[in-house]
């Protein structure tokens, strides 16, 4: 089938995907923080949003938009600023709203699953490192079957990412039970996530186009 890359490319892409999936990043931080504060459903909703973002990135590569963004210093800078700004906003939310487990509250401030999904989508779309990953480095731009192969790899990325990231959500859900018994520890975790989001915001700002 013409839309399936050769075996060597599939192996390289699979290895790169697993490495990217297990490497701590803003997506993973969001999955875990949403699970701790809102439960497993919100964690999976955020994860689903990020995976939808992956498919959108794939589509943007196919139509050439991602190449234009990377080639334009102004557009790439704007993406980095918006992406970093969104992560700073999430850090602020972690501090001001946080997990909010306390003896008086059974759970944190409720958010809809759609908002959790949208947060995952936003974090993924505004991460320039994802754009750089999905540039045609595994498929030749001169390959007449490049669009089909890129869509295949995008779907493959989603399929391979789920078994890697889903256990993190389940683990975070179990950890949240222990957190409910210690509001002080929970508050410390809120500040930890705020710091992590801020660190990733700085990292995004220093990302360089290839």
């Amino acid at each position: 089938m013409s839309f399936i890359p050769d075996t060597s490319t599939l192996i390289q892409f699979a290895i790169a995907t697993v490495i990217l999936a297990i490497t701590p990043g803003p997506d993973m931080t969001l999955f875990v923080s949403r699970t701790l504060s809102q439960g497993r459903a919100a964690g999976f909703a955020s994860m689903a949003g990020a995976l939808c973002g992956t498919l959108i990135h794939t589509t943007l590569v196919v139509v050439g938009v991602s190449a234009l963004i990377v080639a334009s210093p102004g557009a790439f800078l704007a993406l980095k600023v918006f992406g970093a700004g969104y992560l700073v906003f999430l850090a602020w939310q972690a501090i001001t709203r946080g997990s909010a487990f306390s003896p008086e509250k059974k759970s944190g401030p409720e958010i809809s699953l759609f908002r959790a999904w949208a947060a995952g989508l936003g974090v993924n779309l505004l991460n320039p490192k994802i754009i750089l990953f999905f540039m045609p480095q595994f498929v030749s731009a001169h390959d007449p079957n490049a669009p089909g192969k890129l869509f295949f790899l995008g779907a493959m990325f989603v399929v391979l990412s789920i078994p890697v990231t889903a256990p993190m959500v389940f683990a975070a859900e179990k950890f949240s039970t222990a957190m409910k018994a210690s509001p002080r520890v929970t508050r410390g975790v809120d500040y930890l996530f705020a710091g992590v989001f801020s660190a990733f915001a700085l990292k995004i700002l220093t990302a360089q186009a290839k």
Side-chain angles (χ1 to χ4, degrees):
M1 289 179 281
S2 60
F3 63 88
I4 299 180
D6 59 77
T7 303
S8 175
T9 299
L10 290 177
I11 293 175
Q12 293 176 35
F13 184 81
I15 294 174
T17 296
V18 172
I19 291 175
L20 186 64
I22 64 177
T23 302
D27 286 5
M28 183 191 299
T29 304
L30 182 66
F31 306 157
V32 175
S33 64
R34 287 294 190 224
T35 303
L36 291 175
S37 62
Q38 301 295 331
R40 180 174 60 186
F44 278 120
S46 296
M47 186 176 79
L51 293 178
C52 286
T54 295
L55 296 179
I56 293 176
H57 275 301
T58 303
T59 303
L60 292 178
V61 169
V62 170
V63 300
V65 174
S66 291
L68 292 176
I69 291 176
V70 173
S72 170
F76 194 67
L77 175 61
L79 178 68
K80 292 197 296 182
V81 171
F82 276 111
Y86 187 56
L87 290 178
V88 170
F89 169 72
L90 292 176
W92 175 80
Q93 275 198 323
I95 293 176
T96 58
R97 299 178 66 181
S99 302
F101 289 131
S102 68
E104 292 78 24
K105 296 181 180 180
K106 294 184 178 180
S107 63
E110 290 296 328
I111 62 170
S112 68
L113 293 182
F114 175 76
R115 285 185 60 189
W117 175 86
L121 180 69
V123 165
N124 187 274
L125 290 181
L126 293 173
N127 187 352
K129 290 186 178 297
I130 300 296
I131 286 183
L132 295 176
F133 179 79
F134 276 93
M135 290 299 291
Q137 53 184 312
F138 296 99
V139 178
S140 172
H142 303 292
D143 187 339
N145 300 310
K149 290 181 178 180
L150 286 169
F151 277 123
F152 180 86
L153 292 177
M156 181 178 170
F157 183 92
V158 171
V159 172
L160 292 178
S161 295
I162 291 176
V164 175
T165 55
M168 300 176 189
V169 174
F170 284 115
E173 182 187 33
K174 291 184 178 297
F175 184 59
S176 68
T177 302
M179 287 176 60
K180 292 178 182 179
S182 180
R184 181 176 297 180
V185 171
T186 299
R187 198 61 184 142
V189 172
D190 290 337
Y191 279 97
L192 174 62
F193 278 123
V196 172
F197 278 128
S198 298
F200 282 126
L202 180 61
K203 191 173 182 179
I204 280 179
L205 286 175
T206 59
Q208 299 294 322
K210 294 180 180 180

